[in-house]
Amino acid sequence: MSAPIPRGAPETPSRPDDRPPLDPAVLRGEFPLLAANPDFAYLDSAATTQKPGAVLDALDRFYRESNANVHRGLYPLAEKATAAYEGARGEVARFLGALAREVVWTRGTTESINLVAQSWGRASLGPGDAVLLTGMEHHAGLVPWQILAAERGFELRFLPFDARGELELERLEALFEDGRVRLVGVVHGSNVLGTINPVERIAAFAHERGALVLVDAAQTVPHRRVDVRSLGADFLAFSGHKAYGPTGIGVLWAREALLETMPPWQGGGDMILSVRLEKSTWNELPYKFEAGTPDIAGAVGLAAALRWLDSLGRDRIAEAERSLTAYAVGRLAAVEGLRLLGEPDERGPLAAFDLEGVHPHDVAQFLGKEGLAVRSGHHCAQPVHRELGLAASARASFAVHTTRDEIDRLAEALVRCRRYFS
Ligand code: PLP
């Protein structure tokens, strides 16, 4: 039998935070890698975040003091490991305003979306159905549905975005008109355009027409308050490593009633109640979706990261990053020959850009030599780049430790970069 799961609070409390604004220069000191390299500007947090000491300590402590397999042993160390692992699940639930039995551990956003496609999608979709995705999905939000659509014969539809990088919501009516859309897959924060999409509005629209909503929250959970109930989501995915946690751990949240109806997607140990040679029965939620030994330390590390975020205050984080991002957008827009990709009303902490006459890989290499780490390529969003008439772009992305001084260095280096390559 599995250990009882602590239940998370159904709502994330939202209290005004009257502490002084966060100071990124001070927070930088909490990241051992950054503290050891004072001149290094890490501007690639949208790809993966650096890890604060609190997370590294939690991982180290788990392996030193609590390491055993979970849900199996009856000796005290195994019980301690199980309590740490299930306690971490409860913390994720609280963080999202969910119930612990609605939190399924995965390897990350990609695996979470594949789980929805292979479990709910395979059981529910067929010819005559449609899945509506947006034109700004990360490949993780697209390809699992392409694979399943080819097998099950349903249609994929797309909600486009406009020149500013905003979804064209006025097209929703026509896309839903024939009543075939069963699921909407929408990225909460675009990893290229920066757009924060109005998920609440889309979810209300979809629900009125009987469709479910899957939210890719990979780029928002680390940066703002994300409450699954107020978003109106049915499924929500995020990755631990983009939220200051370890790689290899992530979360699929889904409404309990939905998870109950969904079949397992992987078979093996721990996801079963009983096994006979020919046939098995399934474990209760959420274990039905967690076959095999999980990433126990990863779960513990992710919970430490979420605690750390909460100790800073999620509204303070959002405010500090909003102000830093506005500053960065202003500085970058003033660089001659630089075109920002997207001018959304509400932007997450990132800015992708094209520097006239310079290949994005050359931009990233030039900046890299100056101690500035930015990403270049299609950022796993090729359709977005195709829509913008580009093969690739460069992207600077920010975190709680990003300083205005680093943004100034970035803007000044980009001016030199363009001069160097022209
Ligand atoms: N969705 C978005 C918006 C992302 O930015 C990313 C990663 O870049 C993913 C999904 C995939 O996340 P992971 O590789 O952690 O599964």
Side-chain angles (χ1 to χ4, degrees):
M1 270 309 277
S2 303
I5 314 175
R7 292 175 83 85
E11 287 289 325
T12 309
S14 162
R15 271 175 268 108
D17 196 331
D18 52 13
R19 288 178 287 174
L22 291 172
D23 183 346
V26 172
L27 285 175
R28 202 184 148 88
E30 298 207 21
F31 292 81
L33 187 148
L34 299 176
N37 298 280
D39 297 328
F40 175 56
Y42 184 71
L43 299 170
D44 198 17
S45 290
T48 196
T49 50
Q50 295 301 333
K51 312 307 170 198
V55 170
L56 303 178
D57 290 347
L59 288 169
D60 187 64
R61 213 176 317 116
F62 174 80
Y63 279 123
R64 285 180 193 279
E65 297 172 8
S66 309
N67 180 51
N69 212 329
V70 292
H71 303 155
R72 291 158 172 79
L74 292 177
Y75 49 91
L77 184 63
E79 285 171 356
K80 193 173 172 190
T82 300
Y85 177 68
E86 292 303 337
R89 194 191 306 272
E91 293 198 53
V92 170
R94 260 189 301 282
F95 197 82
L96 297 176
L99 302 174
R101 47 191 288 111
E102 298 175 321
V103 171
V104 179
W105 297 116
T106 63
R107 285 191 298 125
T109 309
T110 303
E111 190 170 83
S112 298
I113 298 174
N114 275 278
L115 193 167
V116 177
Q118 292 301 323
S119 170
W120 177 83
R122 185 187 291 276
S124 313
L125 298 171
D129 292 327
V131 165
L132 175 63
L133 306 172
T134 82
M136 62 170 85
E137 295 308 301
H138 183 280
H139 296 169
L142 276 179
V143 183
W145 300 109
Q146 293 173 349
I147 292 171
L148 193 68
E151 184 190 313
R152 303 285 307 149
F154 59 88
E155 185 193 344
L156 291 179
R157 294 180 182 173
F158 301 97
L159 179 64
F161 60 89
D162 64 19
R164 294 173 52 243
E166 301 280 5
L167 289 175
E168 297 184 5
L169 297 182
E170 64 280 7
R171 294 192 190 230
L172 277 175
E173 201 76 61
L175 286 160
F176 273 86
E177 201 172 22
D178 60 8
R180 294 185 170 198
V181 175
R182 304 280 314 281
L183 177 105
V184 180
V186 56
V187 66
H188 194 190
S190 161
N191 66 322
V192 177
L193 304 162
T195 320
I196 302 296
N197 285 315
V199 166
E200 297 89 339
R201 278 177 65 193
I202 295 170
F205 189 95
H207 287 156
E208 273 170 29
R209 287 151 186 85
L212 298 175
V213 176
L214 161 60
V215 180
D216 170 351
Q219 296 294 353
T220 46
V221 160
H223 302 295
R224 54 177 50 223
R225 195 176 286 282
V226 171
D227 182 290
V228 289
R229 314 263 178 227
S230 42
L231 270 186
D234 298 291
F235 302 102
L236 182 135
F238 77 94
S239 301
H241 72 99
K242 292 186 198 287
Y244 305 97
T247 49
I249 188 79
V251 167
L252 171 69
W253 167 85
R255 282 196 291 110
E256 182 177 8
L258 263 173
L259 287 173
E260 290 287 7
T261 64
M262 286 162 53
W265 76 307
Q266 291 179 340
D270 219 28
M271 50 74 70
I272 48 76
L273 204 55
S274 79
V275 177
R276 291 173 185 262
L277 281 178
E278 302 80 11
K279 198 169 164 28
S280 304
T281 56
W282 313 138
N283 205 341
E284 63 193 62
L285 293 182
Y287 310 116
K288 181 170 72 170
F289 298 104
E290 296 178 355
T293 298
D295 183 355
I296 307 162
V300 169
L302 174 52
L306 300 184
R307 270 199 306 280
W308 183 78
L309 283 171
D310 263 341
S311 75
L312 302 183
R314 280 188 274 167
D315 296 334
R316 277 167 99 212
I317 292 172
E319 182 46 34
E321 292 183 350
R322 193 200 55 72
S323 145
L324 188 278
T325 303
Y327 180 74
V329 164
R331 287 297 320 250
L332 291 176
V335 173
E336 211 182 310
L338 187 145
R339 169 189 163 206
L340 279 168
L341 309 190
E343 300 167 39
D345 284 342
E346 204 183 348
R347 178 189 278 277
L350 62 90
F353 56 86
D354 180 55
L355 192 59
E356 192 182 30
V358 192
H359 193 283
H361 290 339
D362 289 332
V363 171
Q365 232 163 22
F366 185 94
L367 296 177
K369 288 193 184 130
E370 303 219 358
L372 296 152
V374 304
R375 172 92 182 263
S376 65
H378 51 60
H379 322 308
C380 298
Q382 274 190 315
V384 177
H385 284 86
R386 197 161 297 123
E387 182 63 27
L388 298 171
L390 297 168
S393 64
R395 180 185 71 191
S397 54
F398 319 123
V400 290
H401 51 71
T402 310
T403 62
R404 289 191 177 210
D405 178 55
E406 289 173 326
I407 302 296
D408 292 341
R409 281 173 57 200
L410 172 67
E412 286 154 19
L414 284 168
V415 172
R416 283 197 301 281
C417 176
R418 181 145 182 270
R419 223 178 283 143
Y420 179 85
F421 283 99
S422 61

